[in-house]
Amino acid sequence: MRLREDVTLDGCLLSGGSPHRVARLSQRAVAMFHCREVLVDSPASRALAERLIDLNLAYPLTGSLPEAPELTVVIPVRGRVRALDRLLRNLGAELPVIVVDDASDDPAALCEVTRRHGASIIHLPDNVGPAQARNIGLARVRTPVVAFIDSDVTARAGDLRDLARHFADPQLALIAPRVRGITSGGAPTWFQSYEEAVSSLDLADKPSTVRPWSALSWLPSACLLARVDDIGDGFDPALRVAEDVDLVWRTITAGKRARYEPTIQVTHDARAMLTSWLARKTYYGTGAAPLAQRHGDLVAPAVLTPAPTIAILALAVQRRWSFLLAIAALATIWLRTHRSLPTGTRRRRHASKLTALGVLSTAAQLSELAIRHAWPVTALACTISRPARRWVAMMTVVDAALTFQRHRPDLDPVRFALARRLDDAAYGLGVWTGAWRARTLRPLIPRWHMTGRSR
């Protein structure tokens, strides 16, 4: 186990992680560290490692894990003969592979490609969707681990085995690699360059424990490994979108762990046409409503605490009393955070840092809520309010600039900002469309965390 790069160990104090937190270690625990790593060779070191990993302060080192259990690959496919050929060629003949043909127009072509690569194939007479197609493949799996991979993904058998080594943790049920967007068949267009840098399936570069209401709350089924015994019958066949989020949340709710491991990467084809790219973003957004019906406020677009929200909104309304109200809210956050920290630490410094991070996190969530999930309401507000127009203009520019700086795409800032806004608008349209169909506003309502602590 190794501490995350954004975590500092200062004597007995750990500071950092996602979300940022401060934790005190015992002298015995500190003695287990060597160059920010802990060798798990005893019940005490295992307990320490599990605790720090759960808190997103550390991550397991693949090289220290035992050999991978046996695994089977399940690939749902409809058409996409060339993409399937590429995936099977990259996997080689090292792993058992089950291809589930979900009522393709040319099943003979899929059959020829599948048999040429030594995989087995199941033909379905009717289109049942990717969730049920994966479940049908899952029913044929006889290994302890299954790897679900979409046909437009490119992955290697060795990388899948390295991911499967994490199942040495008996509580781990799901793990996924980083999914990077790529353009196949020529130079990328401007929106494909954006997708290569900021794919909806790319969950960034930090290993993380996955849990609802956290910085990383789901895993994509484009490439997802699971312990067969922990996922029952698999995906909900009634869902044709967001079925991966549903599976992850059901598994975590059942007491199992899910992890994201970005040191291992696979690639996913970017959409070839602007219209199909936007349609896919909208389609993703429609999944919020069925998730809300199944999981309640786990699908909340933001998790807000009152004090930092009051501080930010007070500044946004730009009145004479705004500054004093914001100062009072910030002082409340600082005092509560200070009291919650372990005694004997640099409490003032850490309280100030945690207060700033809490306010910045709330500001980012409010910004995303305004310009992504609830943009129709925001657009309406801009037609009647000059301050709203100023704040929305600032949020869109800052969001595009920070995202551009973080990802450094092979694209100029103007077209990147345009793609960013189209991405948000399409996804938000999907959320509203799904909410209208389900007659619910739950996917649009933030969750309130009432402790008021930023810790």
Side-chain angles (χ1 to χ4, degrees), residues 307-316 319-336 355 359:
T309 302
I310 290 171
I312 293 166
L313 295 180
L315 294 176
R319 296 292 186 266
R320 292 181 178 179
W321 47 265
S322 296
F323 183 74
L324 291 178
L325 180 57
I327 291 296
L330 291 174
T332 300
I333 302 169
W334 189 91
L335 289 171
R336 288 177 175 174
T355 297
V359 172

Side-chain angles (χ1 to χ4, degrees), residues 202-278:
D202 187 347
L203 305 181
D205 59 355
K206 288 185 172 58
S208 180
T209 298
V210 180
R211 59 171 60 90
W213 301 323
S214 69
L216 187 55
S217 63
W218 68 289
L219 295 170
S221 56
C223 185
L224 179 65
L225 274 66
R227 195 190 304 271
V228 173
D229 289 344
D230 288 339
I231 60 171
D233 295 330
F235 299 87
D236 184 344
L239 293 173
R240 291 209 173 208
V241 62
E243 75 281 358
D244 41 16
V245 185
D246 172 70
L247 177 65
V248 170
W249 288 354
R250 283 191 285 113
T251 304
I252 293 173
T253 302
K256 296 298 182 177
R257 293 194 184 107
R259 283 203 58 77
Y260 173 61
E261 183 47 73
T263 60
I264 297 173
Q265 299 185 11
V266 301
T267 58
H268 178 269
D269 291 340
R271 297 276 164 171
M273 302 293 293
L274 177 62
T275 52
S276 62
W277 178 67
L278 292 174

